[in-house]
Amino acid sequence: MDWDKLRIFHAVADAGSLTHAGDALHLSQSAVSRQIRSLEETLNTTLFHRHARGLILTEQGELLFDATRAMLKRLDAATARIRDSEDEVFGELRVTTTTGFGTLWLAPRLTALYEKYPELKIDLMLEERVLDLPMREADVAIRMKEPSQADLIRKRLMSVRMRLYASPEYLARAGTPQSLEDLSRHRLICQNVGATQVGAGATLVQALLSNEISSLLTVNNYYGVLQGVLHHLGIGVLPDYVIQEFPNLQQVLPEVDSGDIPVFLAYPEELRQSKRIAAFRDFVQEEITIYRKRVKNQAAE
């Protein structure tokens, strides 16, 4: 099968339009159309349904699109390995982690990484969905549980705990709860138990809600919860690492927490020799060492 035709087919399927695919490939619409017709004749099948709003893949087209998508991901992996054979650390590194950890812990620390490797390009993908690393949806992941996918190199980085925090201004106005029963007189800020999140966090929230909380604000990520707490709306369920960046927040009911939640770094086995991965892994480990020392010093004060 003609690789060039497959490349053009993939661009059309991805764009859903001959015109947009032609723009991306620097080809005329008629040239793209000829290549698609030629491919359909070679395969003796129809790959697209054509209508006024664009192109829709047929069942056979979907099968071929799945194949070309997998091929391109494998080519990306091969390209990454070739580039990583160089001594210098440069190029794109796609990092995925949760919205909370990415915004509240990782992003504020990236200055140190860029100062050391100014030609590195980080694509930070923040979402609760677990991306498929072997299929190259991302190069490296930081997750709040051990990854279950095969063919991954994984390393436990640290543990975090979900705890209760509030601003001094809110506590001065509403009072500081002394027991779980006192929470019924306060506004709880948390993720909805049905939202995608760390299981231990959802379990803690479920337990707190059993205390007949009268006022509630739910947000679908911890960054939103933090904003509510910082603006004195109530008592928030937050990961304990936020205290490093927001030391003025006060912990409420210290005996209440989620228990240890492990944090893992993972990347595909095929990227074992990647110098970009190694640079990012070493940076994260160094930052965690600094973080632990700060936590230890705070506990001693």
Side-chain angles (χ1 to χ4, degrees):
M1 203 177 296
D2 190 318
W3 282 90
D4 199 47
K5 288 186 176 66
L6 288 176
R7 178 177 65 90
I8 293 171
F9 161 79
H10 184 86
V12 174
D14 192 46
S17 161
L18 294 172
T19 302
H20 292 157
D23 291 342
L25 297 169
H26 305 292
L27 294 172
S28 67
Q29 179 179 337
S30 59
V32 173
S33 181
R34 283 195 303 271
Q35 294 292 333
I36 295 299
R37 279 200 307 272
S38 176
L39 182 60
E40 289 179 325
E41 290 170 2
T42 300
L43 296 173
N44 193 28
T45 191
T46 300
L47 298 173
F48 294 98
H49 291 303
R50 294 158 175 82
H51 61 85
R53 291 176 296 172
L55 301 175
I56 296 177
L57 287 165
T58 63
E59 183 178 352
Q60 292 79 10
E62 289 281 4
L63 289 172
L64 187 59
F65 188 43
D66 287 342
T68 56
R69 187 161 42 204
M71 288 161 55
L72 286 174
K73 286 179 179 178
R74 289 300 179 189
L75 285 171
D76 285 345
T79 302
R81 288 199 300 273
I82 291 168
R83 287 177 175 172
D84 284 330
S85 66
E86 304 291 335
D87 290 335
E88 297 181 19
V89 176
F90 70 97
E92 184 181 63
L93 182 66
R94 296 172 296 171
V95 179
T96 180
T97 188
T98 61
T99 303
F101 192 83
T103 55
L104 302 177
W105 194 92
L106 181 59
R109 291 171 166 82
L110 286 177
T111 300
L113 182 63
Y114 279 115
E115 286 177 348
K116 193 170 185 180
Y117 304 108
E119 295 185 17
L120 198 58
K121 299 174 183 176
I122 302 292
D123 181 7
L124 191 55
M125 296 176 281
L126 306 180
E127 53 183 295
E128 308 311 310
R129 181 173 69 92
V130 177
L131 299 187
D132 192 330
L133 296 183
M135 287 302 294
R136 295 307 307 278
E137 289 187 330
D139 299 315
V140 59
I142 299 177
R143 286 290 165 189
M144 305 301 117
K145 70 174 187 177
E146 185 170 4
S148 59
Q149 292 170 298
D151 301 324
L152 292 181
I153 297 172
R154 63 208 73 198
K155 179 178 178 58
R156 183 164 178 166
L157 298 173
M158 62 179 183
S159 295
V160 300
R161 291 189 175 219
M162 304 303 300
R163 302 181 190 271
L164 294 172
Y165 296 99
S167 68
E169 291 84 349
Y170 172 80
L171 295 176
R173 184 178 74 242
T176 301
Q178 302 300 315
S179 67
L180 283 172
E181 290 75 19
D182 291 345
L183 287 178
S184 63
R185 298 192 293 273
H186 291 267
R187 181 176 299 110
L188 185 68
I189 310 172
C190 60
Q191 288 206 60
N192 189 296
V193 291
T196 303
Q197 59 179 304
V198 178
T203 300
L204 175 60
V205 168
Q206 205 159 22
L208 294 172
L209 292 177
S210 67
N211 291 279
E212 298 183 356
I213 305 296
S214 59
S215 185
L216 183 66
L217 171 62
T218 58
V219 189
N220 66 349
N221 60 65
Y222 292 123
Y223 181 75
V225 174
L226 175 64
Q227 293 306 305
V229 172
L230 291 175
H231 288 84
H232 325 307
L233 288 176
I235 298 173
V237 180
L238 288 166
D240 54 9
Y241 54 75
V242 301
I243 291 302
Q244 286 291 307
E245 304 299 327
F246 303 95
N248 289 335
L249 294 184
Q250 294 183 13
Q251 187 177 352
V252 176
L253 299 176
E255 70 278 8
V256 176
D257 67 45
S258 64
D260 283 341
I261 299 169
V263 180
F264 282 86
L265 182 143
Y267 52 93
E269 175 71 34
E270 63 188 16
L271 293 179
R272 176 185 289 274
Q273 302 302 322
S274 167
K275 290 180 173 57
R276 290 170 299 141
I277 295 284
F280 181 77
R281 180 196 62 214
D282 293 346
F283 150 73
V284 171
Q285 290 177 327
E286 289 168 5
E287 289 297 321
I288 285 174
T289 299
I290 295 170
Y291 165 77
R292 284 174 173 161
K293 287 180 179 177
R294 287 176 179 169
V295 170
K296 186 176 180 179
N297 291 338
Q298 283 182 349
E301 291 177 356

